Amino acid sequence: MTDPERRACLPALKAERKQARESRFWEPRRLQAAPALHLAGAGCHTGAAAAAAWLAASDLRWTPAPVEMLLRMLEQRDTGWTAEVARRLAERPASADVPYPLMAGLVSRSGCEVPVTDAYVGSWIRHLSLGEDVTGTLLDRLRREPHLSTLVGGLFTLADVSDVRWVLSRTGPGSWQAALPVLVQEGSLDREFVLDACVARLLRGGGPTDHRIFLPWLTALEPTREEVRARTADWTALARDAVSPVASHAQAVLAGLAADSELTVQQVVEVSEGLLFRTEKKLVRAQLALLGKVLVRDPGAAAELLPVVAQAFGHEDTQVQERALRLVERHVKALGPVPEPTAGAAAGTPVTDRPSDEVWQELHRAAEQLTPSLRPRAAALLGVPVDEAVSFEVYEEMLPPAPEPVRLDPAPETPEELAEEIGALLAAEGDVSTFERALDGLMRHAHRDPEALRTALEPVIGTRWWASQQGQQSDGERLPEVHVGTTRRGFLTPSVGLDLMLAALRGQVRANRLHDAVVRGAEGQECAHSGPARVFDTRLRAIAYRLRTRPLPFLLSTPTWSTGLLEPADLVARLVEYRRLKADVCVIDLGQALLRVRRDDQVAADEAARLALTLGTREGKRVARWLTSGPVGLPGVRRRLKGSRVLLEMEGLPQIDEDMPQQFRSLGMPLSVHTDRWRCHHWDRSAHAHWLAALPERREVMAARMLHDLADLAVDDERGAEILPLLAEGAGEAGEAVHLCLAYGLAARHAEDRLSAVDALLVLAARGQLDAVRLGSALGELMVRGAVKAQRLAESARTAAATGAGLTMWEVLRHALPAPLAELSGAEPAVAAVAARSLGDLLAVAAECAERAGVLGEVPHLAETAARTGSSRMVTQARRLRDTLALEVAA
């Protein structure tokens, strides 16, 4: 065919492709036609760009034409055209998954240079490792590769190795790790080229585990001393800036050069200035040891090296600080006598008429970074008055501002705006405020103009999986039973609740089934979550039922504030509007409104109650009775032990039994720790924030019901601390349940959960609701029981202190440390050894907080721990904390 004849076929081929795209990929028509369509389109496109786009199209990738057929189809084309197609295919993203045999075949037929792109090189690696048509071992295939040097060079410049990491990092016979050094040894690859490529890739960095591919290759090549010495600058850069395993290797290489006096003092200074600022204590200690050896061998280098050593005075680890101070003490004599202050100079300010004076000044400035317990030693060493050395700045707690509740915006004014918000909620579940506005908007627009609402929602409904579910019901299509709660596991999540409402609006759920679901509620094994879950579920089903039958003018239970609280004046104003419209009240909606209405302001509650009574309606009287029933109280609690956990049992809430709908009464039932959690079906955490907003003035009740879940964060390494900041921002008393939840969150296994717990702690502290004694005592007890790991708690405490809450964290740790320290003194040697390893970090954070805040006093059992023999981290930090608490602060 000529080019015009080929182009004439394209419209029909594109139309066929469009029809195929609209069908499901498993349909026979698409499966049978796709390979021929792929082949014909590749042959009929006369432009290189269009041909490449057709060949790599994602909709044709599932059933492509065989590669050999494609190559035969294109072999008569001009070599320049073929080379351009190959280049364009190679430049597509790696996710296009263009077959390597196709690209390599086009390169071979055109005779063009190999395109060293990520897509081409990655496909080459996968093809050699996993290709079905390859023969022999990986080493044999690499030996047969005509472009070996070029492609191996491309391997080292891959922007992202994540797609091939698992292939390249494998070890053993037949692996890339074994093959590459053999190719270098045989001469198939240039040794200098591969060495430089390895070093360059490690210098460049990349993903956190990329070094597992390239560092073993570098070590397997075993660079000679000349090759090592020629790359001294590269080793220095790697030691200063590379990831820890690479930096450790580079440091060892440089230490070998230094041991043979093949590094100048300036080169030692250059590498040390970067290494001593790293957080890895092992690297810093090793570099200090190297500096000590150099100083012993060359005392004349003290003027250059001691200021570098003093940079470690600012390291976060006090043991590193002490090592650096000992090193300065050992070699400071090489600088000569301590300068005497000149007349009129401030005490401790060296004179500047000798060459070493600048070095003394640097040491003096660096000593200011030492912890207070080490500063007196530095003062004696440097000739600085002790009072000046240990003076503190006045500490000021810098807590972040407490978040304020936000008043909810009105519901979306038009059905189109509402549809946009619901689409966003279904794509990514939003917060309570957005969800509540959407519910209120659905009810308002369904009451005003249900047809306009359905029309606006149709594009959103069309994206839902259930929209195309067919069923021959007398009143329309239906959803699976789980969505209307007729099964024992019919608990709803926010997104499924929205699906239910959309289906109700569309008529895909029968009204009698929705009514049944509201009356019966979700059934299932009782657990700590059953009460709040049933409130949430029943309300959503009741709203869906009213949307399906008789929409309300608006919802009474929409909260006023983002926390879920409803102002009493707003509730009464809504009841007034209901009476004006002669609308009937939904019992479930009113019940949720009563649970949310704010009663902590008795004056506002009494005024609203008075207005409610003037309505003369049954609902008005009920609201008035609820508002005047007295201040919000909390049920009694009892501490219970369950394994290593400390949990709470809670008495019932009698007012909920008396004044609430039947479906809500499980919320007022007593809470027991012996409820069978193994049959709990509430695994989805997306409803937790909505549960909290269902009873916003009693966060202690909700905290007690979620306590076992939050204990799992620390004990069983589970996830799910997102509720903690919401608990901290909520209303009501923050009692024992909230503080226990926070304690477990601070010791969570996952860093993200610990950050959520720190956020919650800071919010409570900023609001003046944090009980440091209660939280610290709970943490101490949980550490002794093994539910809380001291090292995780130390990380959380350090994060909180770094935000400006040093004094707050000290108060918490001051009450958390006595219990594990007392346990340590009477423990068996093996148990004591484990506890000692974990307590060192916690004592270090406590000492940092005490030093920063300048506090004095005593911690029970600290003196006994500090008096232990040895120099373990626990003992060292215990001594540091003891000395800090006993230190008299200069005015």
Side-chain angles (χ1 to χ4, degrees):
M1 297 174 72
T2 64
D3 282 355
E5 289 173 335
R6 292 190 181 101
R7 286 194 292 269
C9 296
L10 287 176
L13 291 174
K14 291 179 179 178
E16 180 69 23
R17 180 182 173 187
K18 181 180 179 181
Q19 285 186 349
R21 269 202 302 260
E22 292 173 353
S23 62
R24 293 180 174 86
F25 71 87
W26 63 82
E27 291 184 3
R29 172 183 173 82
R30 181 167 181 176
L31 292 174
Q32 294 167 6
L37 184 63
H38 193 210
L39 184 64
C44 289
H45 278 93
T46 56
W54 188 279
L55 285 167
S58 59
D59 58 313
L60 299 173
R61 187 190 312 161
W62 295 103
T63 50
V67 170
E68 284 303 319
M69 281 189 177
L70 290 170
L71 292 175
R72 287 202 302 273
M73 173 72 75
L74 303 175
E75 64 185 356
Q76 300 300 325
R77 297 295 184 93
D78 178 73
T79 56
W81 184 91
T82 309
E84 179 65 11
V85 173
R87 182 185 69 80
R88 288 181 176 274
L89 288 175
E91 288 178 350
R92 297 185 75 83
S95 59
D97 200 19
V98 181
Y100 172 74
L102 176 60
M103 292 188 289
L106 292 171
V107 168
S108 175
R109 284 163 171 74
S110 65
C112 66
E113 293 184 0
V114 175
V116 188
T117 65
D118 281 12
Y120 192 94
V121 174
S123 294
W124 172 68
I125 293 169
R126 288 191 295 273
H127 177 72
L128 286 188
S129 305
L130 308 170
E132 297 178 0
D133 57 343
V134 295
T135 57
T137 65
L138 175 63
L139 187 57
D140 293 335
R141 295 170 226 152
L142 287 168
R143 286 169 177 155
R144 295 195 300 264
E145 174 57 58
H147 307 289
L148 181 63
S149 296
T150 303
L151 290 171
V152 168
L155 185 159
F156 284 100
T157 59
L158 282 172
D160 183 7
V161 298
S162 58
D163 289 338
V164 293
R165 181 183 292 118
W166 67 279
V167 173
L168 295 178
S169 60
R170 286 190 302 185
T171 58
S175 67
W176 284 84
Q177 290 292 326
L180 203 65
V182 173
L183 293 172
V184 173
Q185 185 179 1
E186 294 175 348
S188 301
L189 291 172
D190 181 70
R191 178 179 177 84
E192 289 296 313
F193 164 74
V194 177
L195 274 174
D196 288 338
C198 283
V199 173
R201 179 64 197 218
L202 292 172
L203 282 169
R204 174 180 151 188
T209 59
D210 286 4
H211 64 276
R212 297 178 184 175
I213 298 171
F214 303 105
L215 183 59
W217 276 335
L218 180 60
T219 56
L221 293 174
E222 298 180 349
T224 64
R225 181 48 59 98
E226 291 74 20
E227 291 170 335
V228 167
R229 190 165 49 245
R231 295 171 175 81
T232 300
D234 295 330
W235 304 122
T236 300
L238 290 173
R240 291 166 60 109
D241 302 318
V243 295
S244 188
V246 178
S248 180
H249 175 75
Q251 185 186 46
V253 171
L254 291 169
L257 292 175
D260 295 337
S261 301
E262 296 186 52
L263 288 183
T264 65
V265 173
Q266 186 55 41
Q267 287 174 323
V268 174
V269 169
E270 186 178 355
V271 67
S272 300
E273 284 179 337
L275 262 171
L276 293 179
F277 280 105
R278 296 189 65 120
T279 57
E280 301 95 329
K281 291 175 283 189
K282 181 179 179 181
L283 293 177
V284 176
R285 289 196 296 264
Q287 194 62 23
L288 288 174
L290 174 61
L291 288 167
K293 293 176 183 177
V294 175
L295 285 166
V296 169
R297 188 175 62 243
D298 185 7
E304 295 179 78
L305 295 182
L306 286 183
V308 178
V309 173
Q311 290 179 3
F313 289 174
H315 197 274
E316 63 179 17
D317 186 78
T318 55
Q319 288 180 302
V320 169
Q321 292 184 17
E322 189 168 8
R323 282 172 180 260
L325 182 58
R326 284 203 303 266
L327 195 56
V328 172
E329 289 172 337
R330 196 174 301 128
H331 298 282
V332 75
K333 295 178 182 177
L335 298 179
V338 179
E340 295 293 336
T342 58
T349 304
V351 294
T352 57
D353 58 355
R354 291 189 310 213
S356 63
D357 287 343
E358 185 177 344
V359 178
W360 284 103
Q361 288 178 342
E362 289 186 44
L363 294 176
H364 183 272
R365 288 192 294 269
E368 295 175 357
Q369 303 176 72
L370 289 167
T371 61
S373 59
L374 294 176
R375 289 181 198 172
R377 285 172 56 183
L381 181 68
L382 303 176
V384 180
V386 175
D387 288 346
E388 180 183 334
V390 298
S391 62
F392 286 95
E393 295 181 359
V394 176
Y395 177 78
E396 183 179 355
E397 188 92 325
M398 297 291 292
L399 293 171
E404 295 291 335
V406 178
R407 184 178 282 271
L408 262 66
D409 293 329
E413 293 185 2
T414 66
E416 291 75 19
E417 291 175 343
L418 176 62
E420 287 183 10
E421 289 205 8
I422 291 176
L425 277 170
L426 289 170
E429 292 176 350
D431 56 14
V432 172
S433 301
T434 310
F435 186 78
E436 290 291 340
R437 289 179 65 248
L439 296 185
D440 191 40
L442 282 170
M443 193 63 77
R444 288 175 183 269
H445 289 291
H447 183 265
R448 282 184 215 155
D449 190 345
E451 286 305 317
L453 178 60
R454 292 188 190 99
T455 302
L457 287 172
E458 196 57 38
V460 177
I461 294 174
T463 65
R464 308 310 294 165
W465 67 270
W466 48 264
S468 60
Q469 296 288 312
Q470 300 296 320
Q472 301 301 320
Q473 299 294 327
S474 58
D475 60 345
E477 300 173 354
R478 64 184 182 88
L479 280 177
E481 289 188 354
V482 69
H483 288 284
V484 292
T486 57
T487 67
R488 293 180 63 83
R489 301 185 182 185
F491 294 103
L492 299 182
T493 63
S495 61
V496 174
L498 284 175
D499 275 331
L500 177 60
M501 290 173 203
L502 296 179
L505 279 169
R506 206 186 193 203
Q508 284 189 240
V509 185
R510 288 178 294 185
N512 62 335
R513 294 182 68 205
L514 280 170
H515 184 267
D516 247 12
V518 173
V519 173
R520 290 178 55 194
E523 300 175 1
Q525 183 74 22
E526 285 295 330
C527 65
H529 312 112
S530 299
R534 286 198 174 104
V535 171
F536 182 68
D537 294 348
T538 304
R539 177 174 179 246
L540 292 186
R541 294 187 178 105
I543 293 174
Y545 174 69
R546 295 306 296 258
L547 288 172
R548 180 75 170 82
T549 54
R550 293 169 293 129
L552 302 167
F554 48 80
L555 293 177
L556 295 173
S557 56
T558 302
T560 305
W561 302 101
S562 55
T563 57
L565 277 175
L566 172 59
E567 289 295 331
D570 290 346
L571 176 56
V572 174
R574 292 171 188 173
L575 286 174
V576 170
E577 183 65 11
Y578 260 59
R579 188 182 66 170
R580 187 186 72 80
L581 295 172
K582 298 181 180 180
D584 60 320
V585 173
C586 173
V587 175
I588 302 298
D589 186 32
L590 180 60
Q592 175 64 93
L594 293 178
L595 290 178
R596 283 179 168 167
V597 71
R598 188 166 68 93
R599 291 189 292 165
D600 60 352
D601 185 345
Q602 197 58 53
V603 174
D606 289 344
E607 176 64 20
R610 185 184 63 78
L611 292 174
L613 285 174
T614 63
L615 295 175
T617 62
R618 182 177 55 186
E619 291 79 19
K621 294 176 182 177
R622 184 178 175 194
V623 169
R625 185 172 68 251
W626 181 270
L627 290 174
T628 56
S629 59
V632 178
L634 291 177
V637 296
R638 297 180 300 277
R639 292 166 62 88
R640 295 293 190 195
L641 304 180
K642 190 175 183 181
S644 62
R645 296 170 174 83
V646 176
L647 301 175
L648 296 178
E649 290 188 336
M650 186 169 284
E651 296 175 0
L653 299 169
Q655 193 174 14
I656 291 180
D657 287 345
E658 296 168 1
D659 291 339
M660 286 293 124
Q662 178 67 36
Q663 298 91 328
F664 285 16
R665 292 184 182 178
S666 58
L667 185 61
M669 294 175 62
L671 174 65
S672 169
V673 301
H674 302 295
T675 303
D676 188 358
R677 291 188 72 256
W678 299 113
R679 296 187 181 180
C680 173
H681 307 307
H682 306 94
W683 306 116
D684 194 304
R685 303 194 302 268
S686 60
H688 286 186
H690 300 273
W691 295 352
L692 183 60
L695 195 65
E697 245 186 348
R698 295 184 178 181
R699 58 178 165 180
E700 269 290 288
V701 174
M702 304 308 296
R705 291 185 175 276
M706 297 180 187
L707 185 55
H708 203 301
D709 301 86
L710 291 166
D712 289 343
L713 305 180
V715 179
D716 293 335
D717 298 346
E718 297 288 347
R719 297 297 308 273
E722 305 90 351
I723 194 65
L724 284 174
L726 298 178
L727 277 172
E729 294 171 18
E733 180 184 340
E736 190 167 10
V738 170
H739 284 78
L740 271 175
C741 288
L742 181 58
Y744 288 118
L746 291 171
R749 162 66 177 83
H750 298 279
E752 298 84 355
D753 290 327
R754 292 197 296 272
L755 285 175
S756 295
V758 170
D759 287 344
L761 182 146
L762 295 174
V763 169
L764 286 173
R767 298 179 70 185
Q769 296 172 345
L770 182 69
D771 188 335
V773 177
R774 172 175 274 165
L775 178 59
S777 301
L779 286 167
E781 181 181 1
L782 293 172
M783 278 191 282
V784 170
R785 296 188 59 80
V788 163
K789 292 180 172 60
Q791 191 169 11
R792 297 177 186 173
L793 175 59
E795 293 174 6
S796 296
R798 183 175 284 112
T799 302
T803 63
L807 185 58
T808 296
M809 281 317 305
W810 162 247
E811 288 299 322
V812 172
L813 295 178
R814 181 165 70 92
H815 294 92
L817 285 169
L821 291 177
E823 179 75 9
L824 184 68
S825 61
E828 297 291 332
V831 177
V834 174
R837 284 195 295 272
S838 61
L839 276 177
D841 287 340
L842 193 60
L843 286 165
V845 179
E848 290 169 15
C849 295
E851 291 164 357
R852 191 176 301 162
V855 297
L856 300 176
E858 294 183 357
V859 174
H861 309 289
L862 178 63
E864 295 92 323
T865 305
R868 286 171 172 259
T869 58
S871 58
S872 67
R873 179 168 176 77
M874 182 196 69
V875 173
T876 302
Q877 297 302 327
R879 292 169 184 164
R880 172 190 174 189
L881 179 57
R882 178 200 61 191
D883 296 343
T884 299
L885 295 177
L887 192 63
E888 291 295 336
V889 182

